[in-house]
Amino acid sequence: MHVRRGDKVSVDVAYRDSFPRMGPDYFLRLAAREGLPAGATVFVATDELDRAWFAPLREQGFGLRFADDLDRAPLLEALSSFPQAVWADVLAILEQVVCAGAPSGFVGSLPSTLSGHVVNVRAVARHAAAASGAAGGAPRPLLFTKLHESCCDARTEQDWVRGGLVGDGEPLPCVAREPWC
């Protein structure tokens, strides 16, 4: 699971209408639709420092694990290969790897590029697995494409509707499928 908060919630003008709507209930709905079983252990990649924000997920039985819960010795060894000024960025890359390999599924904060990258890696892996077992290949996966901040790609639009942030046919806080995007 990737929960993007930080500057996207309060500072970034392009996303002011989007990210604040992605509260714990949004992630619970996406988790249910993704088929994550209640009681599952879920790694959470996040920039949210207030762990109380995640209480509703814990109350639904999810065992949440964060980067803070990882074995510190190997993590510090990996990070020490880089200047300390970029440790947060390197940690985000490591979190992407963990989320991309999550066996039970993934839910994220689209239109965040971290979530989009995980969605793409997982879709390509499923596509490759399906293609290797089928003579005719597999249908092309629905990939996340980073667009202008005020635009929505098809996957982001799908998650907004699936997550219940907008009803089917309601306007999105971003522009979907316009030629200028």
Side-chain angles (χ1 to χ4, degrees), residues 37-44 57-58 60-66 69:
T41 298
V42 177
F43 179 79
V44 182
L57 292 132
R58 282 193 186 90
Q60 292 298 315
F62 288 103
L64 304 180
R65 300 294 179 265
F66 300 89
D69 298 318

Side-chain angles (χ1 to χ4, degrees), residues 84-95:
Q84 193 168 3
V86 298
W87 279 14
D89 296 325
V90 174
L91 181 59
I93 293 167
L94 295 172
E95 289 177 324

Side-chain angles (χ1 to χ4, degrees), residues 5-158:
R5 305 269 302 146
D7 61 325
K8 296 294 185 196
V9 173
S10 59
V11 176
D12 197 326
V13 176
Y15 297 114
R16 262 194 210 141
D17 291 338
S18 307
F19 282 94
R21 296 162 106 183
M22 294 180 192
D25 290 344
Y26 169 78
F27 290 96
L28 285 168
R29 285 191 300 274
L30 284 182
R33 288 188 174 103
E34 183 69 23
L36 295 177
T41 298
V42 177
F43 179 79
V44 182
T46 188
D47 57 356
E48 176 58 63
L49 300 176
D50 181 7
R51 296 300 187 242
W53 190 91
F54 297 94
L57 292 132
R58 282 193 186 90
E59 291 166 6
Q60 292 298 315
F62 288 103
L64 304 180
R65 300 294 179 265
F66 300 89
D68 298 345
D69 298 318
L70 298 174
D71 189 350
R72 293 197 182 259
L75 182 58
L76 287 173
E77 184 179 337
L79 291 174
S80 68
S81 301
F82 300 91
Q84 193 168 3
V86 298
W87 279 14
D89 296 325
V90 174
L91 181 59
I93 293 167
L94 295 172
E95 289 177 324
Q96 286 180 30
V97 172
V98 173
C99 290
S104 298
F106 172 76
V107 297
S109 301
L110 295 177
S112 165
T113 52
L114 189 150
S115 286
H117 176 72
V118 172
V119 165
N120 288 352
V121 168
R122 293 178 65 84
V124 169
R126 282 192 311 273
H127 177 72
S132 68
R140 188 162 182 243
L142 179 57
L143 297 178
F144 169 83
T145 306
K146 181 67 175 177
L147 304 167
H148 183 271
E149 286 83 3
S150 60
C151 300
C152 291
D153 71 319
R155 175 60 198 243
T156 302
E157 181 180 6
Q158 177 189 39

